[in-house]
Amino acid sequence: MTAPPKRPRDARLDVFRGLCMLIIFIAHMPQNPWLAWIPARFGFSSATELFVFGSGFASAMAFGRTYATAGFGPASLRILQRIWQLYWAHLALFVALAGITVLLAPAESHAMQALRHVFSAPAEALGALVTLTYVPMLLDILPLYIVVLALVPPMMAARRLHPAAPFALSAALYLATFLFGLAMPGRSEGAGHWFFNPFAWQALFFLGFAIGLGWWKPPALAQPRLVALCAAIVVVSVPFNFWGFTDAFPALIDWQMAVLPANTWTNVHPVRIIHFLVLAYLVLSLLERARWLLETRAAAILTLVGTQSLPAFLACTALAWTGGIALDVFGDAPGPVAVVNLAGLAGIVMAAWVARLFKAEPWTKPAATARQPAASAALRPERC
């Protein structure tokens, strides 16, 4: 395989991944009134689609080129190492959430209810947890990422057979989720499968992966007709999802369910994918005319969070869980809600900053040379 040229890191990727973390924090906090204003309330797609697509693009930059430079075996081992890290991060996150729940949560809180299976049948739950056949609430994302990363080596092997083979394999897995019920078994809350089906969500992941490796080139940005079409689709989707319309006209929900009966989070319905792609095209086209936005202080903060995606996600989930407990205790009045949300968002940024600090290993760098006048004076002869 010919090694593709190393491309510079796309600043937009980290900005949007950081934005995802902040939105996911708000969305994952139980009983959070701010949930009514996240982007998912204005269209069919959500921050999850952006997170999975961005993870695919980032994985292409992190692992894709290694297949050409180091070979299939070493590159696959590198992915296996990352999967191993994610697996233990997933277990550590569960331990942290369980500890927070035992120490802080009231008996009837949402956190206690979410882990009722663990507390009622601990031996069974812990055995299922380590085999990923039990995926508690808010702990869906890392198992999803583990499975889609495990699919990267088969996709790279398929690419060696034919350039279209990875797309065919991805499409086959996606269709199998609808036609044959292909899914990961094991959710304990009665559904019998993971909330996010990785065999469906891999389609969005590998779309980002293919763009990141240059296997597929998306349309050029800022084409007037395409911008107008995307804007029309985004505008039309708002009434079917925004509570301001659906509360006033409940028939909108009925129409959506009649037309899109399978529009669930689990198998990521094609409408969700289409909405995400047109929204992404529209936002990126607008950003082409306002590149200065990537140089603002807000963009720098989002970039910090986006570049430290795993520590930021772990902090995001733990803080959302803790915030949900706080709302159970203090109520959902505007004041406590604002304090909990703003403190959690600041906590995610702080966690990303700390993670970057530790990754820089400042203790391995020599200290800056400082003037030592007292020592210098001691070396000079005394004046009488």
Side-chain angles (χ1 to χ4, degrees):
M1 296 177 64
T2 303
K6 188 173 182 179
R7 59 190 300 176
R9 192 172 183 91
D10 194 327
R12 298 170 299 180
L13 173 65
D14 294 322
V15 167
F16 287 120
R17 292 180 83 190
L19 181 62
C20 274
M21 297 297 174
L22 304 186
I23 296 174
I24 288 174
F25 163 77
I26 295 173
H28 279 189
M29 189 188 304
Q31 302 298 109
N32 187 3
W34 285 21
L35 181 63
W37 299 100
I38 63 173
R41 295 294 172 265
F42 297 87
F44 294 105
S45 64
S46 65
T48 308
E49 281 82 0
L50 177 56
F51 181 80
V52 173
F53 177 87
S55 297
F57 192 95
S59 296
M61 299 177 65
F63 307 113
R65 192 171 183 271
T66 309
Y67 277 90
T69 57
F72 188 89
S76 298
L77 286 176
R78 186 182 176 195
I79 289 179
L80 183 61
Q81 179 191 37
R82 184 59 172 173
I83 290 174
W84 185 245
Q85 293 171 345
L86 294 174
Y87 174 76
W88 284 106
H90 173 70
L91 296 184
L93 180 59
F94 169 81
V95 172
L97 298 189
I100 291 170
T101 303
V102 171
L103 293 173
L104 302 178
E108 300 301 323
S109 66
H110 291 85
M112 281 289 187
Q113 293 302 314
L115 296 182
R116 64 184 182 275
H117 180 59
V118 177
F119 299 134
S120 62
E124 176 187 349
L126 292 177
L129 181 77
V130 298
T131 58
L132 299 183
T133 53
Y134 167 56
V135 183
M137 182 185 72
L138 301 190
L139 293 175
D140 311 271
I141 295 294
L142 290 182
L144 164 65
Y145 195 24
I146 287 172
V147 174
V148 295
L149 270 183
L151 291 173
V152 169
M155 291 293 179
M156 298 301 295
R159 178 72 178 183
R160 292 186 171 190
L161 299 177
H162 192 277
F167 298 97
L169 178 57
S170 178
L173 289 173
Y174 181 71
L175 291 176
T177 63
F178 292 96
L179 299 177
F180 308 111
L182 179 64
M184 291 292 292
R187 192 169 178 87
S188 65
E189 282 80 359
H193 52 72
W194 291 7
F195 184 73
F196 293 116
N197 186 347
F199 300 115
W201 284 84
Q202 56 77 30
L204 202 52
F205 176 89
F206 281 109
L207 183 58
F209 190 84
I211 295 175
L213 283 184
W215 292 355
W216 179 67
K217 186 176 180 180
L221 296 174
Q223 297 185 46
R225 292 184 180 180
L226 202 49
V227 167
L229 176 61
C230 291
I233 294 174
V234 169
V235 170
V236 169
S237 72
V238 171
F240 294 96
N241 296 276
F242 181 50
W243 51 267
F245 290 94
T246 56
D247 288 352
F249 306 99
L252 291 170
I253 299 178
D254 298 332
W255 293 345
Q256 181 187 143
M257 295 302 296
V259 176
L260 305 171
N263 185 20
T264 63
W265 288 77
T266 299
N267 286 340
V268 61
H269 192 278
V271 169
R272 299 180 67 93
I273 297 178
I274 293 172
H275 181 268
F276 164 72
L277 293 177
V278 299
L279 184 60
Y281 182 84
L282 187 62
V283 171
L284 292 176
S285 295
L286 295 175
L287 195 58
E288 280 293 292
R289 298 178 177 240
R291 300 286 298 187
W292 59 269
L293 289 173
L294 297 176
E295 301 174 0
T296 60
R297 181 62 178 169
I301 294 174
L302 294 176
T303 299
L304 168 64
V305 177
T307 53
Q308 308 299 328
S309 57
L310 181 57
F313 177 78
L314 296 176
C316 164
T317 305
L319 289 169
W321 192 274
T322 307
I325 295 174
L327 293 184
D328 282 331
V329 174
F330 298 108
D332 59 355
V337 167
V339 171
V340 170
N341 278 279
L342 293 176
L345 295 173
I348 296 171
V349 176
M350 180 61 66
W353 180 82
V354 171
R356 185 179 66 178
L357 177 66
F358 275 90
K359 287 182 179 180
E361 298 184 353
W363 54 85
T364 64
K365 299 177 181 179
T369 303
R371 294 183 179 179
Q372 300 178 354
S376 299
L379 297 178
R380 295 194 299 266
E382 290 283 344
R383 290 187 181 182
C384 298

